[in-house]
Amino acid sequence: MTQIYNKVALIGLGLIASSMFWSIKKGKLATHVAGYAKSPETRETARRIGLCDSVEENLCDAVEGADLVVLCVPVGAMGKITKSMAPFLKRGATVTDVGSVKRAVIDSVTPYIPDGVNFIPAHPIAGTELSGPESGFADLFKNRWCIIVPLKDSNKCSVRQLKTLWEGLGTNVE
């Protein structure tokens, strides 16, 4: 595989984000992966285990300049986080999520997506009984499924690029 994105920002550093990072690095799918977690303990753990190329104290620093922002936080927090990061999103960036429901995510996130930014909901069907940054591993997504749910106004090139990333992580994409 080759680089798909220059900078990816993972918002929330649990099992899914951690596994995404290890898989992105293994496949050289991005030049830089920034991570952000609200909890100082989670950020410290991430730094200690080498999770992400940079672990940011501030949400705005994590998303600034990112080509792809992945919301890896509980579904109920996604709207508030999107509102906070919206002013710092670069034009042309894609925002996606890994939530297990779509309507609630679409309803809470869409109002805060700025013009010129693409929001493409997704749901990787993968996981383990473990959680937290130390639980992730590069092959979590191998031979699993990821459902991408483009909106009616989703940029087709951005959808293809996101699909290519998920395929690079080892998933079958629908």
Side-chain angles (χ1 to χ4, degrees), residues 48-131:
R48 180 176 46 77
I49 65 172
L51 180 61
C52 296
D53 298 311
S54 64
V55 177
E56 305 296 345
E57 304 282 324
N58 299 306
L59 179 61
C60 59
D61 293 334
V63 303
E64 195 166 40
D67 305 297
L68 176 67
V69 177
V70 186
L71 299 171
C72 304
V73 297
V75 168
M78 289 184 184
K80 183 178 178 184
I81 286 174
T82 303
K83 183 179 181 180
S84 297
M85 71 181 188
F88 306 99
L89 295 171
K90 98 176 186 184
R91 188 165 188 78
T94 296
V95 174
T96 190
D97 75 293
V98 296
S100 59
V101 297
K102 294 293 100 182
R103 177 49 52 200
V105 171
I106 292 166
D107 291 347
S108 67
V109 170
T110 303
Y112 302 113
I113 297 293
D115 288 341
V117 173
N118 304 294
F119 175 51
I120 306 169
H123 176 206
I125 303 171
T128 71
E129 69 283 2
L130 304 173
S131 62

Side-chain angles (χ1 to χ4, degrees), residues 14-26 49 51 126-142 144 169-170:
L15 169 69
I16 299 295
S18 178
S19 296
M20 286 184 78
F21 169 74
W22 297 119
S23 191
I24 287 168
K25 281 311 188 185
K26 181 179 178 182
I49 65 172
L51 180 61
T128 71
E129 69 283 2
L130 304 173
S131 62
E134 294 176 293
S135 303
F137 57 100
D139 291 333
L140 176 67
F141 305 107
K142 193 173 177 101
R144 303 287 183 98
L169 299 178

